[in-house]
Amino acid sequence: MDRNPSPPPPSRDKSEEEEVAGGDCIGSTVYSKHWLFGVLSGLIQIVSPENTTSSSDDDKHQMELDEEMENEICKVWDMSMDEDVALFLQEFNAPDIFMGVLAKSRCPRLREICVGILGNMACFQEICVSISNDKNLGQVLLHCLYDSDPPTLLETSRLLLTCLSQSEVASVWVERIQEYPAIYDTICFIMSSSTNVDLLVKVGEVVDKLFDLDEKLMLEWIKNGAVQPLDQPQEDSKEQPVFKIVPCVLEAAKQVRSENPEGLDVYMHILQLLTTVDDGIQAIVQCPNTGKDTWNLLFDLACHEFCQSDDPPIVIQEQKTVLASVFSVLSSIYASQAEQEYIKIEKELPLIDSLIRVLQNVEHCQKKPENSMDSNTEETKKSDLTPEDFHLKILKDISCEFLSNLFQILTKETVAQGLKEGHLSKPKCSCVFQNLLPFYSPAVEDFLKILQEVDKTLADDLEESFPSLKVQT
């Protein structure tokens, strides 16, 4: 059976058609108000006191949903994507009914549907504001994050993301989440243990949005798993796990990696947001195992999965945001832990190769058609900067900074090895010089001095191609 059956068809009976024409329809739709009243009344009956104070023999019954009622309420779920229907549900105080269901019902399917309907309704700003400002409903919805049912968790996360994306009420939800420290443990538990990719992606989007909205909350979550609580009673035999944000994010990223590229992009961006604060960088590198796991995963993505030598250059358009995050995090780790054993020269050269390939592909994508060169004025450049161009520029800037850092520590032996293995051929070195000059001149000059000792012919050729270097050497 479909999870979300189609909405009920318009009535075909002549008398019913006349009734609809006479004002029974909802807004400009053909959906019947009376039919919807009936479904909502049925929901009220389900959670009425006489139906919720049953004996233990009825526990199984409480966990199940009548098939006819499920079909009816699923139709409401689909209908609620229509603004007229959503507004009518709001006017009829349906959110209060759904709140009652969520507070009292033990049926996972019914809880999922009710949160799903609220999620659809929240897509419309007026209703989103109303739902968000209802403190009691907000508390009930946040408690749904403690649910053990993945579909309910998915719909709850979708609803939260919708509300967090509304600037008018985002701060309300951030403050509300800060009031419930246990939400951190719940979200970390999902990221570290769930195999439901859809749920992991949606939870990741919620975390990403929260960190982007509020640095204070991000810092609190970074520090939450930093130390074992000292006030835990020793006689408490049931030890609570201490979740650390970075390992949980890494575990979720590994889970979604092969099945959902967009989800991987989300988790890489979470790591990048963590590196925007010192505590976040320390959370990654302070524990050797965490630093090593992060470096190895991102190194593997950069060197063996994204932007490979046999990929067409245009592939960079699909991978630009995730690569920007990956290189940004790798650069932060490198700057903090350059002497760690897991960052070795064998890994620096493939990274250099990957960074050069990215820059080559970015350059290819940024080339303008020949017939448009005449109009390439400064004013035209600014007005023609598309979101794609903007993200390519960010990727280029991050790649150049990381590449300059790597070039500054190259030794004579490393350069010789890079030349032998093809990582530092003339076309690749030319690409590096073209992108690093003039902003990273010291890194280029240091590299050229070493290259003079290893391959003087190549060094002279590069000097000839880049006259600005002759003046300074």
Side-chain angles (χ1 to χ4, degrees):
M1 178 172 59
D2 292 339
R3 293 187 71 81
N4 299 317
S6 299
S11 301
R12 296 181 181 178
D13 183 84
K14 186 175 181 180
S15 62
E16 290 179 350
E17 288 177 359
E18 291 174 353
E19 185 180 3
V20 169
D24 184 51
C25 58
I26 300 172
S28 60
T29 73
V30 294
Y31 303 133
S32 165
K33 292 179 182 178
H34 289 162
W35 176 85
L36 188 54
F37 285 151
V39 177
L40 294 176
S41 298
L43 271 181
I44 294 172
Q45 290 299 315
I46 289 177
V47 293
S48 62
E50 57 268 24
N51 288 330
T52 56
T53 55
S54 54
S55 64
S56 58
D57 294 337
D58 293 328
D59 281 353
K60 183 179 179 181
H61 176 71
Q62 289 183 34
M63 296 290 287
E64 297 175 351
L65 184 61
D66 176 79
E67 184 176 347
E68 182 179 353
M69 172 55 77
E70 180 175 354
N71 288 334
E72 298 286 87
I73 194 65
C74 276
K75 291 171 185 177
V76 177
W77 191 356
D78 280 339
M79 290 164 56
S80 63
M81 290 187 289
D82 184 286
E83 187 172 8
D84 285 337
V85 175
L87 288 169
F88 182 76
L89 286 168
Q90 175 74 6
E91 184 182 340
F92 191 69
N93 293 324
D96 289 341
I97 298 174
F98 300 141
M99 180 170 62
V101 172
L102 294 171
K104 298 177 182 178
S105 175
R106 298 174 56 196
C107 174
R109 178 62 171 152
L110 182 58
R111 293 170 60 82
E112 173 203 358
I113 296 169
C114 287
V115 179
I117 295 173
L118 286 169
N120 283 351
M121 293 173 66
C123 292
F124 306 104
Q125 185 177 11
E126 178 186 338
I127 302 174
C128 183
V129 172
S130 176
I131 289 174
S132 300
N133 289 332
D134 187 328
K135 187 175 181 180
N136 292 331
L137 179 56
Q139 290 176 342
V140 169
L141 289 171
L142 287 181
H143 272 89
C144 289
L145 287 173
Y146 307 141
D147 208 298
S148 60
D149 179 56
T152 302
L153 288 169
L154 176 60
E155 292 306 318
T156 304
S157 301
R158 183 173 74 90
L159 171 57
L160 282 177
L161 183 62
T162 300
C163 294
L164 288 168
S165 300
Q166 285 279 0
S167 58
E168 192 173 344
V169 296
S171 60
V172 173
W173 287 98
V174 171
E175 292 171 9
R176 198 170 279 158
I177 289 170
Q178 286 176 316
E179 293 172 2
Y180 291 87
I183 289 177
Y184 165 82
D185 291 324
T186 298
I187 287 180
C188 282
F189 177 75
I190 293 171
M191 291 193 295
S192 62
S193 62
S194 178
T195 57
N196 186 317
V197 172
D198 290 337
L199 175 58
L200 286 172
V201 172
K202 197 58 64 178
V203 166
E205 289 175 338
V206 170
V207 174
D208 187 44
K209 192 67 178 177
L210 284 170
F211 285 3
D212 198 33
L213 285 169
D214 195 274
E215 186 178 294
K216 181 182 175 184
L217 181 141
M218 180 172 72
L219 287 168
E220 288 176 358
W221 283 23
I222 290 170
K223 295 173 182 176
N224 274 351
V227 292
Q228 178 79 36
L230 299 176
D231 56 350
Q232 185 173 339
Q234 293 183 356
E235 64 271 14
D236 187 358
S237 58
K238 189 177 181 181
E239 292 185 9
Q240 295 297 318
V242 178
F243 293 108
K244 296 184 178 181
I245 189 69
V246 176
C248 294
V249 169
L250 289 177
E251 190 58 41
K254 294 173 186 175
Q255 191 68 41
V256 305
R257 174 179 178 176
S258 60
E259 296 185 46
N260 195 302
E262 292 79 13
L264 181 61
D265 197 343
V266 168
Y267 280 100
M268 292 301 101
H269 191 252
I270 292 173
L271 288 174
Q272 184 181 9
L273 287 173
L274 289 172
T275 62
T276 60
V277 293
D278 289 339
D279 286 345
I281 296 174
Q282 291 306 310
I284 295 174
V285 303
Q286 204 165 40
C287 174
N289 288 338
T290 303
K292 182 179 180 180
D293 289 347
T294 306
W295 177 272
N296 287 343
L297 173 62
L298 273 60
F299 174 87
D300 191 46
L301 290 171
C303 298
H304 302 132
E305 186 158 328
F306 295 130
C307 197
Q308 297 301 290
S309 57
D310 56 350
D311 288 336
I314 195 68
V315 76
I316 201 72
Q317 290 285 13
E318 298 176 8
Q319 301 172 354
K320 55 184 177 291
T321 55
V322 66
L323 273 170
S325 296
V326 167
F327 285 143
S328 179
V329 177
L330 284 172
S331 182
S332 296
I333 297 175
Y334 187 83
S336 302
Q337 299 284 301
E339 297 180 2
Q340 283 292 328
E341 186 180 349
Y342 56 80
I343 305 177
K344 295 181 179 178
I345 194 63
E346 307 92 78
K347 292 191 174 183
E348 288 167 353
L349 286 172
L351 258 181
I352 288 173
D353 202 29
S354 179
L355 285 160
I356 294 173
R357 190 160 53 247
V358 165
L359 290 173
Q360 289 173 328
N361 288 350
V362 168
E363 184 179 350
H364 180 276
C365 291
Q366 288 180 331
K367 283 181 180 177
K368 301 293 181 183
E370 290 184 10
N371 58 7
S372 68
M373 293 300 289
D374 295 338
S375 62
N376 196 22
T377 63
E378 191 65 30
E379 186 177 342
T380 306
K381 286 180 183 178
K382 290 179 181 178
S383 61
D384 289 348
L385 192 63
T386 65
E388 288 75 18
D389 294 331
F390 177 72
H391 287 297
L392 282 175
K393 183 180 184 304
I394 290 176
L395 174 58
K396 179 180 177 179
D397 291 346
I398 291 172
S399 300
C400 286
E401 183 178 358
F402 190 17
L403 195 56
S404 71
N405 290 333
L406 291 171
F407 258 54
Q408 283 181 322
I409 51 80
L410 290 177
T411 63
K412 185 176 177 180
E413 293 74 23
T414 311
V415 172
Q417 183 182 342
L419 289 169
K420 181 180 179 182
E421 295 176 357
H423 299 301
L424 297 173
S425 63
K426 181 178 179 180
K428 291 180 179 179
C429 288
S430 295
C431 175
V432 173
F433 285 22
Q434 184 71 40
N435 283 278
L436 296 192
L437 293 172
F439 299 110
Y440 299 100
S441 295
V444 175
E445 292 163 14
D446 290 345
F447 168 74
L448 198 58
K449 289 175 184 176
I450 296 174
L451 189 61
Q452 284 280 3
E453 300 180 38
V454 179
D455 191 332
K456 189 175 186 305
T457 303
L458 176 56
D460 290 342
D461 286 346
L462 289 169
E463 274 192 314
E464 191 70 33
S465 301
F466 296 89
S468 63
L469 290 171
K470 287 185 178 181
V471 179
Q472 301 175 37
T473 55

